[in-house]
Amino acid sequence: MAKKIGVKVFKDYQTPERDGVYFRLLCMTGDRKGFSFIIESTRIVLGRSKDADIKVMDVKSSREHAELTKYENTYIVTDLGSQNGLVVNDLKVTQHKLNDGDLIVIGATVFKFNILNIKNSLSLIEKNLENEDDDENEEDDEKSSKNGKKKKNSRIIYLVVIIGLMYFFMFDEEPAKVVKKTVVNKSKTMASRLKSLIKKKSRDDDKDLEIRLNSIIHKGHREFREQNYFRALEFFNLALNLDPQSGNAEFYLNKTQQKIDSTIKQMFSKAKREADQLKYHNAIQSYCSIIRYLRDYSTDQRYIDAKVNIEFIEVKMGLDKGETACLQK
């Protein structure tokens, strides 16, 4: 276990031993997959910076990407003006009040937020084991009582039995061995039960991830059918962030990208044809359609090419450069 101010870091699914309510971030993907972070401060920062409370080793993470701040009985996650944005579950957000089980996505790194209500499961196991030992001791007491009644008629035999028992406990080392063996068996039983609990937790997390993945891919399919290709692209990218090995998500991601490329190619062909026919007004409108289609991707080369073509046609029409309305937004 490592500790940073405000955060305890574990390299497995280990949970706190003391009773209480704890808040945990569990890393589901990336270089720190399987790490769990117990939040102990009212505010922590996630990002690539070495000073971040939780370091996110992801090329799409900003130095200070997001923060978690305590609010009532949970935390609020806030985007700190990051370059690539913040996603919670399947939605891009600037701020979100976290619920148990929410998935926080930074680039290709996914964290699962959990609210843990610890009721000292270790003590419960020990208590159960002690109860089993008490039951065994009660049975031994009943047997001793019956034997005592049978010997009640003979005081001499009773005294001999007492002396014999004293000798047995004072000089025989066997009881110590029995006690030692019981403690060892109890420890082994506790370790076995804890190991089973950890495995069950891991299986539950995998099942929860699979359900979430199928839900996101289903939403992507729906957007694809409705020809909302960029929205579909976001869902399939999110699915691949959750599971980079998902062949289904990768297939539909490529298919969606092909649809986008094909649509833009047709729009360019139409605009060029209108410009060649000297239908400059129509050509500008067609290039503006490309600008609007790629409005969230202004660094895309096709967006830049459409803008350059509009400015070129403006010169031919005797207009001021950048006068076209779609370039002013």
Side-chain angles (χ1 to χ4, degrees):
M1 181 194 76
K3 183 170 182 181
K4 200 173 180 71
I5 297 177
V7 177
K8 283 185 178 179
V9 185
F10 299 91
K11 293 184 179 179
D12 49 34
Y13 294 98
Q14 184 175 349
T15 56
E17 296 180 359
R18 295 184 179 179
D19 291 359
V21 177
Y22 296 85
F23 302 92
R24 179 181 72 182
L25 284 181
L26 179 63
C27 188
M28 308 292 288
T29 63
D31 293 339
R32 307 188 80 178
K33 180 178 179 180
F35 277 61
S36 58
F37 305 87
I38 302 297
I39 306 170
E40 297 184 333
S41 176
T42 56
R43 178 184 182 272
I44 64 166
V45 174
L46 294 84
R48 282 192 299 110
S49 171
K50 64 180 181 179
D51 297 323
D53 299 295
I54 297 180
K55 190 172 182 181
V56 183
M57 300 176 180
D58 192 303
V59 293
K60 292 188 178 180
S61 171
S62 299
R63 291 178 56 80
E64 291 189 351
H65 198 103
E67 70 173 5
L68 267 67
T69 51
K70 187 73 180 295
Y71 176 75
E72 294 180 348
N73 59 346
T74 185
Y75 277 80
I76 292 177
V77 62
T78 304
D79 187 351
L80 295 177
S82 61
Q83 180 74 21
N84 295 296
L86 176 70
V87 174
V88 176
N89 297 328
D90 54 1
L91 295 176
K92 192 172 185 179
V93 300
T94 54
Q95 192 172 73
H96 177 82
K97 184 179 178 181
L98 292 170
N99 298 307
D100 183 47
D102 280 350
L103 297 178
I104 301 172
V105 183
I106 297 177
T109 304
V110 181
F111 292 94
K112 184 175 182 180
F113 176 77
N114 288 123
I115 301 175
L116 306 175
N117 191 355
I118 304 301
K119 294 183 178 180
N120 206 345
S121 56
L122 287 175
S123 294
L124 290 175
I125 293 173
E126 290 179 345
K127 187 176 180 180
N128 289 336
L129 292 172
E130 288 172 358
N131 288 337
E132 292 174 4
D133 293 341
D134 290 341
D135 292 339
E136 292 176 0
N137 291 333
E138 287 177 2
E139 292 177 2
D140 292 340
D141 291 340
E142 290 177 2
K143 291 179 182 179
S144 298
S145 178
K146 291 179 181 179
N147 292 333
K149 289 179 181 179
K150 290 179 182 179
K151 298 175 182 179
K152 193 173 183 180
N153 295 327
S154 178
R155 186 175 180 180
I156 297 175
I157 296 176
Y158 180 76
L159 291 173
V160 170
V161 171
I162 294 295
I163 295 171
L165 288 174
M166 291 176 62
Y167 178 85
F168 178 79
F169 282 108
M170 290 176 64
F171 300 100
D172 198 336
E173 297 179 356
E174 188 64 24
K177 294 180 180 179
V178 173
V179 172
K180 183 177 180 181
K181 185 177 180 180
T182 302
V183 173
V184 172
N185 289 339
K186 186 185 291 187
S187 299
K188 289 182 178 179
T189 303
M190 290 173 60
S192 177
R193 292 183 184 180
L194 286 175
K195 188 175 181 180
S196 297
L197 288 173
I198 292 172
K199 286 183 178 179
K200 183 178 182 300
K201 178 64 176 173
S202 179
R203 288 195 299 269
D204 290 344
D205 287 339
D206 290 341
K207 185 176 180 180
D208 183 69
L209 182 61
E210 183 180 356
I211 293 172
R212 174 65 65 181
L213 182 67
N214 290 336
S215 174
I216 292 172
I217 292 176
H218 176 74
K219 291 177 182 178
H221 287 168
R222 183 183 61 202
E223 297 293 343
F224 183 87
R225 288 194 301 270
E226 294 176 359
Q227 298 184 5
N228 299 324
Y229 298 128
F230 284 106
R231 184 64 177 154
L233 201 66
E234 290 180 6
F235 281 119
F236 295 134
N237 269 318
L238 179 57
L240 279 176
N241 285 340
L242 290 177
D243 182 8
Q245 305 301 320
S246 175
N248 195 13
E250 184 175 5
F251 171 79
Y252 277 100
L253 178 71
N254 293 332
K255 190 173 182 180
T256 303
Q257 189 62 61
Q258 290 172 6
K259 282 288 186 181
I260 292 174
D261 294 343
S262 175
T263 300
I264 296 175
K265 186 176 181 180
Q266 292 175 8
M267 296 168 75
F268 265 108
S269 296
K270 182 175 181 293
K272 185 177 184 304
R273 185 168 60 252
E274 290 168 342
D276 291 342
Q277 295 172 357
L278 305 182
K279 297 178 181 180
Y280 294 136
H281 180 75
N282 291 341
I284 285 180
Q285 293 303 315
S286 295
Y287 282 123
C288 279
S289 296
I290 298 172
I291 293 290
R292 286 189 289 270
Y293 194 68
L294 295 170
R295 62 184 180 277
D296 295 327
Y297 303 89
S298 58
T299 58
D300 191 297
Q301 186 59 46
R302 293 167 296 188
Y303 180 100
I304 297 171
D305 290 344
K307 182 179 179 181
V308 169
N309 286 331
I310 290 173
E311 292 174 346
F312 178 76
I313 294 174
E314 284 177 335
V315 173
K316 282 185 171 292
M317 295 177 65
L319 302 174
D320 292 334
K321 191 174 181 181
E323 183 177 335
T324 302
C326 68
L327 296 181
Q328 298 175 7
K329 294 181 180 179

